[in-house]
Amino acid sequence: MANLNGATSDLRTKFLEVYSVLKSELLNDPAFEWTDNSRQWVERMLDYNVPGGKLNRGLSVIDSYELLKEGKELTEEEVFLASALGWCIEWLQAYFLVLDDIMDNSHTRRGQPCWFRVPKVGLIAANDGIILRNHIPRILKKHFREKPYYVDLLDLFNEVEFQTASGQMIDLITTLEGEKDLSKYSLPLHRRIVQYKTAYYSFYIPVACALLMANENLDDHIDVKNILIDMGIYFQVQDDYLDCFGDPERIGKIGTDIEDFKCSWLVVKALELCNEEQKKILFEHYGKEDPADVAKIKAIYNDINLQGVFADFESKSYEKLISSIEAQPSKAVQAVLKSFLGKIYKRQK
């Protein structure tokens, strides 16, 4: 365990090598007659959108599978297959982000212009999103067709995609322009949006992939799913908190949840805790672009000590998660869940 960073960066290098293999298979997929032009387009689109993030979701498939194998050395094939599933999740993420950025009319993503903002791309990005989505079953067919859990993998990706798209829908129809009404924002709504839009694909699917590779039946692990969903909600609350109180240098972006009228945990909690006077100010100034309006919202957040309320939420969530995890019969499964929790507890970015 001496050189942990070395090990991690080595894993990352190996993981990126698998990306190159998968990319070249996709660019030579026999189901399509490629031209130099089409190949170059897809390659540029993949390189721009797929490997650019932190790769947490993809890497955690390998982590989780290793923990499920309880210290047994993984074969080259096992590392490759776990990496391929990790990349399928990164492909899924890229597909969502390319289309989300169009829907939200965003400008930047991961420190560069959104794909649809790149010259000559524009709304071709919508079709690129469809292609990204369709690469997933191509990868699964090529490498998992003969596995006993092949159908379960297809089902898993299809179901999680449906859940994520449905979460995005609730988010979009709740924040409709011209219908800005804070009174519909509540903790149950916040929870629903986060559960479907983020938790399934960010927390559940990486572990579900590892469980399937370890020949486990997902129906036997409903409680694991529920714990991961709770972890995903905890993660998103941290995200909402950091959007307002985090250091932009550390988190790599400037938060705009207040301006964007987001159903953030902070505003939901504020509505719960503030007096009538403060509530009036929230209703009047939330969702406005002007920095003066934003400052008024932040002042209320400070007046009601939201930072303290969050710290309390964070420690209570952590205790609750730890006790659910320790109730798990399998020590290997406990290790997977604790590893996830360890990565996100008290994070600053």
Side-chain angles (χ1 to χ4, degrees):
M1 290 301 281
N3 186 0
L4 203 62
N5 285 344
T8 315
S9 65
D10 183 43
L11 186 68
R12 197 187 178 88
T13 310
K14 264 208 154 126
F15 188 58
L16 285 163
E17 281 167 18
V18 175
Y19 168 74
S20 301
V21 173
L22 297 175
K23 179 174 76 171
S24 98
E25 290 169 352
L26 291 162
L27 294 175
N28 294 286
D29 192 318
F32 179 63
E33 283 183 40
W34 294 90
T35 59
D36 288 347
N37 235 347
S38 56
R39 218 180 243 115
Q40 278 166 359
W41 180 276
V42 175
E43 176 161 33
R44 181 172 80 123
M45 184 270 288
L46 290 175
D47 288 343
Y48 197 92
N49 294 295
V50 178
K54 298 186 288 287
L55 309 181
N56 290 342
R57 293 171 183 82
L59 288 165
S60 57
V61 177
I62 313 169
D63 279 349
S64 301
Y65 184 66
E66 279 185 319
L67 290 166
L68 290 174
K69 295 304 270 188
E70 306 193 77
K72 278 203 215 69
E73 183 78 23
L74 302 193
T75 65
E76 284 292 315
E77 190 203 13
E78 286 178 309
V79 173
F80 181 85
L81 291 176
S83 301
L85 290 179
W87 280 114
C88 286
I89 300 169
E90 294 294 336
W91 248 267
L92 186 66
Q93 155 98 327
Y95 150 61
F96 290 142
L97 299 185
V98 164
L99 295 181
D100 275 8
D101 286 342
I102 301 172
M103 292 178 233
D104 296 342
N105 202 18
S106 300
H107 289 272
T108 56
R109 155 88 55 196
R110 295 169 174 170
Q112 58 181 12
C114 300
W115 178 237
F116 81 99
R117 299 266 180 203
V118 171
K120 298 201 192 125
V121 177
L123 287 181
I124 298 174
N127 191 66
D128 289 334
I130 295 171
I131 288 177
L132 286 164
R133 163 64 183 98
N134 280 283
H135 280 163
I136 297 165
R138 306 307 291 166
I139 295 169
L140 295 176
K141 183 184 168 88
K142 181 154 180 73
H143 297 285
F144 296 90
R145 185 117 181 56
E146 303 305 321
K147 301 285 183 213
Y149 52 85
Y150 178 56
V151 174
D152 303 280
L153 275 177
L154 290 173
D155 272 350
L156 174 68
F157 276 91
N158 286 334
E159 184 160 295
V160 167
E161 183 195 354
F162 170 63
Q163 289 168 316
T164 309
S166 302
Q168 170 73 344
M169 173 191 62
I170 315 173
D171 197 16
L172 291 167
I173 64 181
T174 312
T175 52
L176 266 179
E177 268 310 311
E179 293 182 31
K180 292 189 172 172
D181 175 16
L182 263 190
S183 59
K184 62 189 171 192
Y185 284 179
S186 66
L187 268 179
L189 176 71
H190 178 268
R191 188 187 165 91
R192 272 186 50 161
I193 292 173
V194 172
Q195 176 175 346
Y196 290 101
K197 188 183 165 176
T198 306
Y200 283 104
Y201 95 94
S202 300
F203 285 80
Y204 175 58
I205 207 173
V207 176
C209 284
L211 285 167
L212 288 175
M213 265 191 74
N215 294 306
E216 292 284 330
N217 183 339
L218 294 182
D219 295 335
D220 299 338
H221 294 287
I222 301 299
D223 41 355
V224 172
K225 184 195 244 180
N226 291 330
I227 291 168
L228 287 161
I229 296 308
D230 283 341
M231 232 180 265
I233 291 162
Y234 164 65
F235 177 87
Q236 185 59 49
V237 173
Q238 287 177 314
D239 228 51
D240 291 351
Y241 176 82
L242 292 169
D243 186 273
C244 180
F245 297 107
D247 174 6
E249 287 293 308
R250 277 182 102 155
I251 56 176
K253 58 185 176 191
I254 292 160
T256 56
D257 284 358
I258 295 172
E259 293 93 319
D260 296 342
F261 199 71
K262 282 279 159 63
C263 183
S264 159
W265 183 84
L266 296 175
V267 78
V268 169
K269 271 296 179 200
L271 288 166
E272 234 176 65
L273 297 167
C274 66
N275 61 36
E276 288 308 311
E277 195 65 37
Q278 294 166 320
K279 197 175 269 188
K280 231 166 100 179
I281 297 170
L282 283 181
F283 270 80
E284 205 170 311
H285 300 280
Y286 197 73
K288 303 259 170 73
E289 286 292 329
D290 190 335
D293 292 298
V294 176
K296 288 198 167 88
I297 302 295
K298 288 194 175 182
I300 288 182
Y301 287 178
N302 286 320
D303 292 342
I304 60 175
N305 186 24
L306 264 191
Q307 288 183 268
V309 176
F310 170 75
D312 189 47
F313 169 85
E314 180 154 55
S315 57
K316 280 203 171 62
S317 298
Y318 183 78
E319 285 165 30
K320 190 170 161 264
L321 285 164
I322 286 287
S323 65
S324 324
I325 291 169
E326 288 177 347
Q328 287 301 302
S330 153
K331 280 279 184 257
V333 168
Q334 281 195 30
V336 169
L337 295 169
K338 282 189 171 168
S339 145
F340 259 77
L341 186 53
K343 284 178 202 155
I344 61 171
Y345 182 54
K346 297 219 157 155
R347 69 193 176 95
Q348 300 291 316
K349 63 173 183 195

